[in-house]
Amino acid sequence: MRVYNFSAGPSMLPLEVLNRAAAEMSDYEGCGMSVMEMSHRSKIYESIIEGAEALLRKVMGIPEDYEVLFLQGGATQQFAAIPMNFLKKKASYAVTGNFAKKAYQEAQRYGEISLAADMGDIDYTRIPRQEELVIDPDADYFYTCMNNTVYGSKWNYIPETGNVPIFSDISSCILSEPLDVSKFGLLYAGAQKNMAPAGLTVVIVRKDLISTPMPFTPTMLDYGAMAKAKSMYNTPPTYQIYILKLVLEWLEGLGGVEGMAKINRKKAGILYDYLDSSKFYIANIEKDSRSIMNVTYHCPTKELDAKFVAESIERGFQNLKGYRSVGGIRASIYNAMPVEGVEALVDFMAKFERENG
Ligand SMILES: *Cc1c(COP(=O)(O)O)cnc(C)c1O
C-alpha cells in the first residue's frame, strides 16, 4: 500500500512515473538493458538527456540564452560553486531561512558578502519587503532562496534589483508554478523535491554571466567547463536524468506548470483555509509569504505536537514532523502529492482538534 508521504525531501514521486520506470527497468525501449546500465555516451542515452533538457526548456520556458546544466553534489554544492564562479567584487545575500543562511555562510569563505536582509530576528516568519532590501548596487549578484523548505515561506514577488542579477535556490518550488526565468541570472535546484531522486542538481544560468572562475575552483564546479562539455565532463547522474524526463512528461500531461500550479494552489488552499479557521493550530508564516509547497504549523503545546505526529503515522501519513531545529508540524505537499492526500490530512487534523482542543 502506498502511504501519503509528506516528506520535505526526498519526497513523493508520481505513481505513474514509478510504474513506468518499473516497466522499463530491465529493458529500456527494447534495447535489452536498463537505463542504469547504459553508457552515458551511447546514442540511446543521448536521446534521454537531450530529451530531458528539451522538455525542461519547454515546460519552464527557458530562453535560448540560458544554459541548462545537469550536475551532482546537491543544492548544497552550489552554495560554494556560485561564489567561486561569479563573485568578482562582492555579493548581497538575503537570509530568509535555514538554506539561505547556509549559502550565506559558505559564500563568506570566498569573498565579501553583504546581508541584503536577515529575517532571523523574527524567526523567519516572512519574506523581506522590497523597501527593506539593502542590495549593494555594485554586487555581482543578489542571492535568494525562493522557497524556504524548513520554515514554509516563499518569495511571492520578484524583487527589483537594478542591474544586479538575481540568483535563486528553487530546490523546493521548481516546476510548482510558472516562473519568468528571464528575470533571473541563475536558478538552481536539487532534484529530490519536485524532479527526480536525489543526486541530480539542475542549474539554469544566463550564458553571458559565465566567466573564468576563481583559480582554485575544481573543474567539476566550473559552470563554463560543464556547459562546454554539455554536462558530460564526466559521468552525469544518468538514471536521475531519465526519471526527470519521465516526471516532465507526466507534468506536461497535467497541463505543464500552469496546470500543476492550479492543482498546487488548490491543495495549499485546502490546508491554509482549514488552518485559518482553526482555533487550535497555529501557523506562523505571514499570509503574503506563505509557501504552497511546505505548510508549517503547530499545536498549542509540544506534547500535542508529538501526539499529533504519533497518531498521524498510525493513520498512514509519513514525515509530518517539523524540521529538527524548528519543531511543530510540516506538511510538504510537492507536485506529486495528490489532492486526496491533503484532504485526508485535513480530515485527520479536524478529528485531532476535536479530540484534543
Ligand atoms: C533540500 C534543499 C537544499 C539542500 O539540498 P541538498 O541536495 O541536500 O544539498 C537546499 N536548498 C533548498 C531550498 C532545499 O529545499
Side-chain angles (χ1 to χ4, degrees):
M1 191 197 80
R2 296 272 295 167
V3 296
Y4 290 126
N5 178 9
F6 294 92
S7 170
S11 42
M12 287 182 82
L13 282 162
L15 186 56
E16 293 92 322
V17 167
L18 295 176
N19 285 339
R20 168 105 184 259
E24 295 178 339
M25 180 61 75
S26 58
D27 182 5
Y28 177 76
E29 292 191 352
C31 77
M33 62 175 98
S34 171
V35 174
M36 291 184 207
E37 303 169 304
M38 282 174 192
S39 162
H40 58 294
R41 308 216 184 262
S42 61
K43 267 267 163 298
I44 186 138
Y45 191 73
E46 214 171 82
S47 73
I48 294 174
I49 190 168
E50 285 176 2
E53 178 178 338
L55 257 180
L56 188 69
R57 284 184 178 276
K58 182 175 171 213
V59 165
M60 287 186 71
I62 301 170
E64 276 299 311
D65 57 330
Y66 285 71
E67 293 284 356
V68 173
L69 306 176
F70 294 133
L71 308 179
Q72 302 193 44
T76 304
Q77 182 86 89
Q78 312 311 313
F79 298 171
I82 286 170
M84 284 182 188
N85 280 270
F86 303 105
L87 186 58
K88 310 292 174 193
K89 298 187 302 285
K90 49 187 145 173
S92 289
Y93 277 60
V95 174
T96 52
N98 168 77
F99 290 116
K101 189 171 183 181
K102 280 188 165 164
Y104 168 68
Q105 287 168 340
E106 184 75 15
Q108 281 175 316
R109 302 175 62 185
Y110 302 102
E112 191 186 332
I113 307 293
S114 68
L115 260 179
D118 181 1
M119 307 313 281
D121 298 344
I122 54 163
D123 292 332
Y124 304 112
T125 44
R126 66 174 174 83
I127 293 301
R129 291 182 265 274
Q130 176 75 51
E131 62 274 17
E132 292 174 311
L133 296 173
V134 184
I135 300 166
D136 194 320
D138 294 328
D140 297 303
Y141 60 89
F142 168 55
Y143 182 98
T144 67
C145 177
M146 193 175 292
N147 185 78
N148 297 284
T149 321
V150 168
Y151 292 91
S153 68
K154 178 173 181 255
W155 289 76
N156 285 317
Y157 73 101
I158 298 175
E160 286 298 330
T161 59
N163 289 325
V164 179
I166 308 173
F167 288 12
S168 196
D169 176 355
I170 56 169
S171 293
S172 52
C173 60
I174 190 168
L175 300 172
S176 66
E177 286 181 293
L179 181 65
D180 184 351
V181 175
S182 71
K183 294 269 197 306
F184 297 85
L186 180 145
L187 294 165
Y188 74 96
Q192 67 273 26
K193 280 64 184 248
N194 253 347
M195 293 193 286
L200 165 68
T201 309
V202 172
V203 175
I204 300 160
V205 54
R206 225 173 68 204
K207 288 178 182 168
D208 64 306
L209 293 173
I210 299 176
S211 66
T212 310
M214 292 179 182
F216 50 78
T217 305
T219 308
M220 285 297 290
L221 303 188
D222 176 342
Y223 292 134
M226 297 317 266
K228 192 157 161 256
K230 291 182 175 293
S231 303
M232 293 258 206
Y233 182 81
N234 71 333
T235 318
T238 51
Y239 198 76
Q240 280 78 350
I241 293 166
Y242 155 72
I243 297 288
L244 170 61
K245 181 166 175 279
L246 297 187
V247 167
L248 290 166
E249 287 166 3
W250 168 81
L251 198 88
E252 269 216 305
L254 295 174
V257 278
E258 285 82 9
M260 197 72 251
K262 277 198 195 112
I263 300 169
N264 285 332
R265 288 180 193 133
K266 179 173 177 192
K267 286 187 292 186
I270 293 170
L271 207 36
Y272 283 123
D273 284 350
Y274 178 69
L275 286 168
D276 290 341
S277 73
S278 166
K279 295 199 169 53
F280 180 77
Y281 300 103
I282 301 130
N284 281 333
I285 302 300
E286 291 192 13
K287 284 188 181 171
D288 65 359
S289 300
R290 282 174 168 176
S291 165
I292 62 167
M293 294 281 102
N294 312 98
V295 179
T296 55
Y297 54 95
H298 58 94
C299 299
T301 66
K302 284 197 169 58
E303 290 68 33
L304 283 168
D305 283 338
K307 192 174 179 215
F308 180 99
V309 170
E311 289 184 16
S312 74
I313 294 167
E314 279 169 36
R315 169 65 185 77
F317 302 141
Q318 293 283 322
N319 294 306
L320 279 164
K321 193 174 176 189
Y323 190 75
R324 52 190 186 274
S325 63
V326 179
I329 320 289
R330 172 176 53 176
S332 295
I333 50 172
Y334 296 117
N335 287 358
M337 171 61 68
V339 176
E340 299 80 62
V342 177
E343 288 169 344
L345 173 61
V346 167
D347 282 349
F348 168 75
M349 287 167 68
K351 180 168 173 284
F352 190 84
E353 176 171 355
R354 279 195 304 275
E355 289 169 0
N356 297 279

PDB file of all heavy atoms in Angstrom, residues 306-325:
ATOM      1  N   ALA A 306       3.810  16.207  19.478  1.00  0.00           N
ATOM      2  CA  ALA A 306       4.345  14.835  19.469  1.00  0.00           C
ATOM      3  C   ALA A 306       3.207  13.822  19.308  1.00  0.00           C
ATOM      4  O   ALA A 306       3.321  12.839  18.563  1.00  0.00           O
ATOM      5  CB  ALA A 306       5.126  14.566  20.755  1.00  0.00           C
ATOM      6  N   LYS A 307       2.099  14.085  19.998  1.00  0.00           N
ATOM      7  CA  LYS A 307       0.936  13.198  19.903  1.00  0.00           C
ATOM      8  C   LYS A 307       0.374  13.213  18.472  1.00  0.00           C
ATOM      9  O   LYS A 307       0.020  12.174  17.911  1.00  0.00           O
ATOM     10  CB  LYS A 307      -0.128  13.664  20.905  1.00  0.00           C
ATOM     11  CG  LYS A 307      -1.255  12.697  21.114  1.00  0.00           C
ATOM     12  CD  LYS A 307      -2.192  13.167  22.242  1.00  0.00           C
ATOM     13  CE  LYS A 307      -3.340  12.179  22.409  1.00  0.00           C
ATOM     14  NZ  LYS A 307      -4.598  12.820  22.780  1.00  0.00           N
ATOM     15  N   PHE A 308       0.314  14.415  17.899  1.00  0.00           N
ATOM     16  CA  PHE A 308      -0.180  14.573  16.525  1.00  0.00           C
ATOM     17  C   PHE A 308       0.649  13.715  15.563  1.00  0.00           C
ATOM     18  O   PHE A 308       0.119  12.962  14.746  1.00  0.00           O
ATOM     19  CB  PHE A 308      -0.110  16.050  16.116  1.00  0.00           C
ATOM     20  CG  PHE A 308      -0.597  16.336  14.723  1.00  0.00           C
ATOM     21  CD1 PHE A 308      -1.884  16.812  14.495  1.00  0.00           C
ATOM     22  CD2 PHE A 308       0.231  16.154  13.613  1.00  0.00           C
ATOM     23  CE1 PHE A 308      -2.338  17.079  13.206  1.00  0.00           C
ATOM     24  CE2 PHE A 308      -0.217  16.410  12.322  1.00  0.00           C
ATOM     25  CZ  PHE A 308      -1.511  16.877  12.118  1.00  0.00           C
ATOM     26  N   VAL A 309       1.972  13.837  15.702  1.00  0.00           N
ATOM     27  CA  VAL A 309       2.865  13.111  14.784  1.00  0.00           C
ATOM     28  C   VAL A 309       2.681  11.600  14.970  1.00  0.00           C
ATOM     29  O   VAL A 309       2.541  10.848  13.989  1.00  0.00           O
ATOM     30  CB  VAL A 309       4.332  13.530  14.993  1.00  0.00           C
ATOM     31  CG1 VAL A 309       5.278  12.615  14.216  1.00  0.00           C
ATOM     32  CG2 VAL A 309       4.535  14.990  14.573  1.00  0.00           C
ATOM     33  N   ALA A 310       2.624  11.154  16.236  1.00  0.00           N
ATOM     34  CA  ALA A 310       2.480   9.713  16.503  1.00  0.00           C
ATOM     35  C   ALA A 310       1.174   9.185  15.912  1.00  0.00           C
ATOM     36  O   ALA A 310       1.158   8.142  15.242  1.00  0.00           O
ATOM     37  CB  ALA A 310       2.529   9.465  18.018  1.00  0.00           C
ATOM     38  N   GLU A 311       0.073   9.913  16.124  1.00  0.00           N
ATOM     39  CA  GLU A 311      -1.226   9.443  15.608  1.00  0.00           C
ATOM     40  C   GLU A 311      -1.291   9.532  14.081  1.00  0.00           C
ATOM     41  O   GLU A 311      -1.956   8.722  13.433  1.00  0.00           O
ATOM     42  CB  GLU A 311      -2.372  10.227  16.262  1.00  0.00           C
ATOM     43  CG  GLU A 311      -2.544   9.836  17.721  1.00  0.00           C
ATOM     44  CD  GLU A 311      -3.746  10.515  18.392  1.00  0.00           C
ATOM     45  OE1 GLU A 311      -4.634  11.049  17.683  1.00  0.00           O
ATOM     46  OE2 GLU A 311      -3.785  10.504  19.633  1.00  0.00           O
ATOM     47  N   SER A 312      -0.607  10.507  13.522  1.00  0.00           N
ATOM     48  CA  SER A 312      -0.629  10.653  12.061  1.00  0.00           C
ATOM     49  C   SER A 312       0.028   9.444  11.392  1.00  0.00           C
ATOM     50  O   SER A 312      -0.402   9.002  10.331  1.00  0.00           O
ATOM     51  CB  SER A 312       0.058  11.958  11.625  1.00  0.00           C
ATOM     52  OG  SER A 312       1.468  11.860  11.756  1.00  0.00           O
ATOM     53  N   ILE A 313       1.062   8.900  12.041  1.00  0.00           N
ATOM     54  CA  ILE A 313       1.743   7.714  11.482  1.00  0.00           C
ATOM     55  C   ILE A 313       0.795   6.511  11.504  1.00  0.00           C
ATOM     56  O   ILE A 313       0.691   5.776  10.530  1.00  0.00           O
ATOM     57  CB  ILE A 313       3.057   7.444  12.249  1.00  0.00           C
ATOM     58  CG1 ILE A 313       4.050   8.594  11.998  1.00  0.00           C
ATOM     59  CG2 ILE A 313       3.672   6.101  11.825  1.00  0.00           C
ATOM     60  CD1 ILE A 313       5.249   8.626  12.927  1.00  0.00           C
ATOM     61  N   GLU A 314       0.064   6.377  12.616  1.00  0.00           N
ATOM     62  CA  GLU A 314      -0.933   5.293  12.697  1.00  0.00           C
ATOM     63  C   GLU A 314      -1.983   5.428  11.605  1.00  0.00           C
ATOM     64  O   GLU A 314      -2.483   4.442  11.069  1.00  0.00           O
ATOM     65  CB  GLU A 314      -1.656   5.336  14.044  1.00  0.00           C
ATOM     66  CG  GLU A 314      -0.877   4.699  15.181  1.00  0.00           C
ATOM     67  CD  GLU A 314      -1.530   5.010  16.526  1.00  0.00           C
ATOM     68  OE1 GLU A 314      -2.775   5.062  16.597  1.00  0.00           O
ATOM     69  OE2 GLU A 314      -0.769   5.232  17.493  1.00  0.00           O
ATOM     70  N   ARG A 315      -2.305   6.652  11.259  1.00  0.00           N
ATOM     71  CA  ARG A 315      -3.326   6.920  10.240  1.00  0.00           C
ATOM     72  C   ARG A 315      -2.782   6.682   8.812  1.00  0.00           C
ATOM     73  O   ARG A 315      -3.532   6.693   7.841  1.00  0.00           O
ATOM     74  CB  ARG A 315      -3.819   8.372  10.424  1.00  0.00           C
ATOM     75  CG  ARG A 315      -4.683   8.968   9.346  1.00  0.00           C
ATOM     76  CD  ARG A 315      -6.029   8.273   9.221  1.00  0.00           C
ATOM     77  NE  ARG A 315      -6.785   8.803   8.083  1.00  0.00           N
ATOM     78  CZ  ARG A 315      -6.543   8.494   6.819  1.00  0.00           C
ATOM     79  NH1 ARG A 315      -5.583   7.666   6.510  1.00  0.00           N
ATOM     80  NH2 ARG A 315      -7.277   9.026   5.848  1.00  0.00           N
ATOM     81  N   GLY A 316      -1.465   6.456   8.693  1.00  0.00           N
ATOM     82  CA  GLY A 316      -0.884   6.183   7.373  1.00  0.00           C
ATOM     83  C   GLY A 316      -0.224   7.384   6.719  1.00  0.00           C
ATOM     84  O   GLY A 316      -0.002   7.406   5.520  1.00  0.00           O
ATOM     85  N   PHE A 317       0.070   8.416   7.525  1.00  0.00           N
ATOM     86  CA  PHE A 317       0.792   9.583   6.996  1.00  0.00           C
ATOM     87  C   PHE A 317       2.244   9.507   7.459  1.00  0.00           C
ATOM     88  O   PHE A 317       2.509   9.180   8.615  1.00  0.00           O
ATOM     89  CB  PHE A 317       0.193  10.894   7.517  1.00  0.00           C
ATOM     90  CG  PHE A 317      -1.270  11.070   7.190  1.00  0.00           C
ATOM     91  CD1 PHE A 317      -2.124  11.636   8.126  1.00  0.00           C
ATOM     92  CD2 PHE A 317      -1.782  10.698   5.962  1.00  0.00           C
ATOM     93  CE1 PHE A 317      -3.474  11.808   7.833  1.00  0.00           C
ATOM     94  CE2 PHE A 317      -3.121  10.867   5.664  1.00  0.00           C
ATOM     95  CZ  PHE A 317      -3.970  11.427   6.608  1.00  0.00           C
ATOM     96  N   GLN A 318       3.151   9.837   6.578  1.00  0.00           N
ATOM     97  CA  GLN A 318       4.573   9.772   6.923  1.00  0.00           C
ATOM     98  C   GLN A 318       5.207  11.150   6.889  1.00  0.00           C
ATOM     99  O   GLN A 318       4.865  11.994   6.062  1.00  0.00           O
ATOM    100  CB  GLN A 318       5.305   8.858   5.926  1.00  0.00           C
ATOM    101  CG  GLN A 318       4.908   7.390   6.019  1.00  0.00           C
ATOM    102  CD  GLN A 318       5.538   6.679   7.200  1.00  0.00           C
ATOM    103  OE1 GLN A 318       6.680   6.918   7.551  1.00  0.00           O
ATOM    104  NE2 GLN A 318       4.774   5.789   7.823  1.00  0.00           N
ATOM    105  N   ASN A 319       6.173  11.350   7.793  1.00  0.00           N
ATOM    106  CA  ASN A 319       7.080  12.512   7.742  1.00  0.00           C
ATOM    107  C   ASN A 319       6.412  13.872   7.951  1.00  0.00           C
ATOM    108  O   ASN A 319       6.768  14.857   7.303  1.00  0.00           O
ATOM    109  CB  ASN A 319       7.855  12.509   6.411  1.00  0.00           C
ATOM    110  CG  ASN A 319       8.790  11.325   6.306  1.00  0.00           C
ATOM    111  OD1 ASN A 319       9.610  11.097   7.182  1.00  0.00           O
ATOM    112  ND2 ASN A 319       8.659  10.554   5.237  1.00  0.00           N
ATOM    113  N   LEU A 320       5.456  13.938   8.866  1.00  0.00           N
ATOM    114  CA  LEU A 320       4.820  15.228   9.161  1.00  0.00           C
ATOM    115  C   LEU A 320       5.560  16.022  10.248  1.00  0.00           C
ATOM    116  O   LEU A 320       5.225  17.173  10.518  1.00  0.00           O
ATOM    117  CB  LEU A 320       3.359  15.017   9.579  1.00  0.00           C
ATOM    118  CG  LEU A 320       2.393  14.813   8.400  1.00  0.00           C
ATOM    119  CD1 LEU A 320       1.074  14.218   8.876  1.00  0.00           C
ATOM    120  CD2 LEU A 320       2.148  16.121   7.647  1.00  0.00           C
ATOM    121  N   LYS A 321       6.534  15.397  10.849  1.00  0.00           N
ATOM    122  CA  LYS A 321       7.262  16.070  11.932  1.00  0.00           C
ATOM    123  C   LYS A 321       8.067  17.247  11.368  1.00  0.00           C
ATOM    124  O   LYS A 321       8.736  17.122  10.337  1.00  0.00           O
ATOM    125  CB  LYS A 321       8.208  15.062  12.581  1.00  0.00           C
ATOM    126  CG  LYS A 321       8.783  15.534  13.883  1.00  0.00           C
ATOM    127  CD  LYS A 321       9.582  14.436  14.553  1.00  0.00           C
ATOM    128  CE  LYS A 321      10.198  15.061  15.787  1.00  0.00           C
ATOM    129  NZ  LYS A 321      11.135  14.251  16.435  1.00  0.00           N
ATOM    130  N   GLY A 322       7.998  18.396  12.052  1.00  0.00           N
ATOM    131  CA  GLY A 322       8.726  19.586  11.601  1.00  0.00           C
ATOM    132  C   GLY A 322      10.238  19.377  11.627  1.00  0.00           C
ATOM    133  O   GLY A 322      10.732  18.415  12.217  1.00  0.00           O
ATOM    134  N   TYR A 323      10.949  20.289  10.997  1.00  0.00           N
ATOM    135  CA  TYR A 323      12.412  20.214  10.933  1.00  0.00           C
ATOM    136  C   TYR A 323      13.001  20.175  12.341  1.00  0.00           C
ATOM    137  O   TYR A 323      12.484  20.824  13.253  1.00  0.00           O
ATOM    138  CB  TYR A 323      12.930  21.441  10.178  1.00  0.00           C
ATOM    139  CG  TYR A 323      14.398  21.395   9.832  1.00  0.00           C
ATOM    140  CD1 TYR A 323      14.856  20.591   8.794  1.00  0.00           C
ATOM    141  CD2 TYR A 323      15.316  22.176  10.527  1.00  0.00           C
ATOM    142  CE1 TYR A 323      16.208  20.558   8.470  1.00  0.00           C
ATOM    143  CE2 TYR A 323      16.670  22.148  10.214  1.00  0.00           C
ATOM    144  CZ  TYR A 323      17.104  21.329   9.184  1.00  0.00           C
ATOM    145  OH  TYR A 323      18.440  21.309   8.860  1.00  0.00           O
ATOM    146  N   ARG A 324      14.084  19.428  12.507  1.00  0.00           N
ATOM    147  CA  ARG A 324      14.590  19.139  13.858  1.00  0.00           C
ATOM    148  C   ARG A 324      14.848  20.374  14.721  1.00  0.00           C
ATOM    149  O   ARG A 324      14.581  20.356  15.914  1.00  0.00           O
ATOM    150  CB  ARG A 324      15.834  18.240  13.785  1.00  0.00           C
ATOM    151  CG  ARG A 324      16.933  18.705  12.877  1.00  0.00           C
ATOM    152  CD  ARG A 324      17.991  17.606  12.696  1.00  0.00           C
ATOM    153  NE  ARG A 324      19.134  18.101  11.933  1.00  0.00           N
ATOM    154  CZ  ARG A 324      19.206  18.106  10.617  1.00  0.00           C
ATOM    155  NH1 ARG A 324      18.207  17.634   9.904  1.00  0.00           N
ATOM    156  NH2 ARG A 324      20.269  18.582   9.988  1.00  0.00           N
ATOM    157  N   SER A 325      15.301  21.473  14.111  1.00  0.00           N
ATOM    158  CA  SER A 325      15.595  22.656  14.926  1.00  0.00           C
ATOM    159  C   SER A 325      14.366  23.559  15.109  1.00  0.00           C
ATOM    160  O   SER A 325      14.409  24.524  15.856  1.00  0.00           O
ATOM    161  CB  SER A 325      16.728  23.465  14.287  1.00  0.00           C
ATOM    162  OG  SER A 325      16.317  23.932  13.025  1.00  0.00           O
TER     163      SER A 325
END
